[in-house]
Amino acid sequence: MAKKEEKTNVMRLLEKEKVTYTPHSYDHSDGVIDGAGVARKLGQDPARVFKTLVTRTAGGGFAVFCLPVEQELDLKRAAKAVGEKSVSMIHVAEINKVTGYIRGGCSPLGMKKRYPTVFDASAEGLATIMVSAGKIGFQVELDPKELCRLAGGSFAAIVAD
């Protein structure tokens, strides 16, 4: 559990919007920051821990996709979900410039700009999911419908079969 004084901007945003969430923290001193490793460290079902991926659209913009950490993004489904001809993953070096976050700490909330955001349809049936709190070592657990609302997002089937 995150200490009370350790708040990320994502946590502050959730509090400002009066959204109930549970903060979680994990030790990342071993360098393990991938989603599956984070799920293990937190003792969580990987189907409830979501990673945030940022893509470049064929139109030159950006789109954000949140999906379970052990799943792969289906680029064709993702493009369709945001009404684009295609999407491609941005290079890791671009993450900070585009989102304001770093690899391993990218959250669908609180990015520099609001981009089209899609959550995998599997989230809709869950009471809560976990996403990065915007800083490595911190996650927030909350209602996926509230998260989607705050991100201005939608739900769609975006994972590869």
Side-chain angles (χ1 to χ4, degrees):
M1 188 66 80
K3 294 176 190 159
K4 281 201 187 301
E5 66 273 8
E6 293 183 279
K7 289 232 167 62
T8 68
N9 286 339
V10 169
M11 293 172 192
R12 288 184 195 91
L13 172 70
L14 292 170
E15 289 171 7
K16 179 179 169 241
E17 295 293 327
K18 297 184 177 12
V19 172
T20 301
Y21 73 94
T22 303
H24 296 270
S25 62
Y26 60 92
D27 177 23
H28 58 91
S29 61
D30 58 3
V32 175
I33 59 169
D34 67 281
V38 170
R40 277 192 304 278
K41 287 180 177 194
L42 293 171
Q44 298 292 322
D45 177 351
R48 291 185 54 251
V49 180
F50 280 55
K51 60 187 170 185
T52 303
L53 303 177
V54 182
T55 63
R56 178 173 278 107
T57 66
F62 298 96
V64 177
F65 299 95
C66 293
L67 58 153
V69 295
E70 291 186 335
Q71 300 292 320
E72 284 187 40
L73 181 64
D74 182 308
L75 294 174
K76 288 183 181 184
R77 287 179 177 174
K80 184 178 178 189
V82 292
E84 288 283 342
K85 189 170 133 182
S86 65
V87 296
S88 58
M89 296 301 298
I90 67 168
H91 192 276
V92 69
E94 295 179 278
I95 291 172
N96 184 259
K97 186 176 131 202
V98 173
T99 68
Y101 292 123
I102 61 169
R103 180 186 171 275
C106 192
S107 177
L109 297 176
M111 290 189 182
K112 285 181 174 181
K113 293 182 182 175
R114 184 174 271 199
Y115 301 110
T117 302
V118 179
F119 295 86
D120 185 62
S122 66
E124 263 188 303
L126 300 173
T128 61
I129 64 171
M130 295 176 72
V131 295
S132 173
K135 184 177 178 183
I136 294 172
F138 297 89
Q139 296 272 307
V140 287
E141 179 179 359
L142 68 159
D143 179 330
K145 291 174 185 71
E146 281 291 294
L147 177 60
C148 187
R149 180 185 66 77
L150 282 178
S154 61
F155 292 100
I158 56 171
V159 298
D161 290 328

